[in-house]
Amino acid sequence: QLPTGLYKKVLVILHDSVLPYMNEPTLMIDFLTVAYGIGGAISLLALNGLFILIHQHNLEYPDFYKKLYSLLDPSIYHVKYRARFFHLVDLFLSSSHLPAYLVAAFIKRLSRLALTAPPESLLMVIPFICNLFRRHPACKVLVHRPNGPEDMSEDPYIMEEEEPSESRALESSLWEIRSLQDHYHPDVAKAAAVLNQSLSEIEDDISGLLELSAYELFDKEVKKKVIDVPMEFEQVRGLFGKKNDIFAEHFTLD
């Protein structure tokens, strides 16, 4: 057992400062699988090392996607390792051989969690979901189901189910993204409205959105040029805006 802080320090540098220089990187399999099973930020950080072992050293991890699915909780939109996590999730879900039920479960869980996510995360995850639809056209039934559920109470999707195949995601629809089309931030509402149209075949480049911060969004809004709109109005006279009421006889507005 290692302290949590030490786990984080090791896992942050393991994939680029340790594994490439080891004669037998597979010796780290046990350490990384244990770290991946701890949960929280430690599991997110262990993904980098596991990715290298899976793709370069033929590591077989039978319940890998089940565990990856379980890592999707509300904190993923807030942790400082968000960019690294979504970059790796994007890689793991890039294969066209993944079953539709698995990808649909990821889409539904990300969409459900997006209901409470901050705008900077939404501007990243909505194009991310659109890219999943482009790679896996069988999941588009979630968008084009006309008689699908309209809220959480009618949704057949089981959020608490740990097994993606039992979550009934393919029976649902993306009412969550439709809800985001009424988001208070105009950029989020515009991004969510893309699913109302047919998606292009070219994937969106989300690399520049992974590191998007609330400060950048605020700075962008502040720098927008405000157009002065001329308005015609009647000047207020009297306490309650009426010219000849009894209050206007005794009170004036300076």
Side-chain angles (χ1 to χ4, degrees), residues 236-253:
V236 176
R237 296 181 181 180
L239 189 61
F240 294 105
K242 296 180 181 180
K243 295 181 181 179
N244 301 317
D245 63 356
I246 189 171
F247 294 100
E249 298 178 7
H250 303 283
F251 299 95
T252 60
L253 296 176

Side-chain angles (χ1 to χ4, degrees), residues 6 9 16 18 26 32 44 60 64 67 78 83 89 104 110 128 134 138 141 145 149 153 161 167 170 193 203 219:
L6 185 57
K9 288 181 180 178
D16 58 359
V18 178
T26 52
L32 285 170
L44 303 186
E60 292 187 8
F64 177 79
K67 178 61 181 175
H78 302 274
V89 173
L110 288 170
F128 183 92
R134 293 183 176 99
V141 66
R145 177 169 283 128
S153 62
E161 177 59 54
S167 66
L170 277 176
E203 291 190 11
D219 192 53

Side-chain angles (χ1 to χ4, degrees), residues 90 93-95 127-128 130-136 199-206:
D90 189 43
L93 296 178
S94 61
S95 173
F128 183 92
C130 291
N131 285 347
L132 292 180
F133 281 123
R134 293 183 176 99
R135 296 172 196 168
H136 308 275
L199 294 174
S200 62
E201 296 183 0
I202 302 175
E203 291 190 11
D204 295 324
D205 183 13
I206 64 169

Side-chain angles (χ1 to χ4, degrees), residues 8-50:
K8 291 181 179 179
K9 288 181 180 178
V10 171
L11 292 171
V12 163
I13 64 171
L14 186 67
H15 65 286
D16 58 359
S17 299
V18 178
L19 289 179
Y21 303 100
M22 294 181 67
N23 292 328
E24 295 184 45
T26 52
L27 292 173
M28 301 301 296
I29 288 176
D30 288 339
F31 171 74
L32 285 170
T33 51
V34 169
Y36 189 48
I38 290 177
I42 295 177
S43 293
L44 303 186
L45 293 174
L47 274 175
N48 277 93
L50 283 175

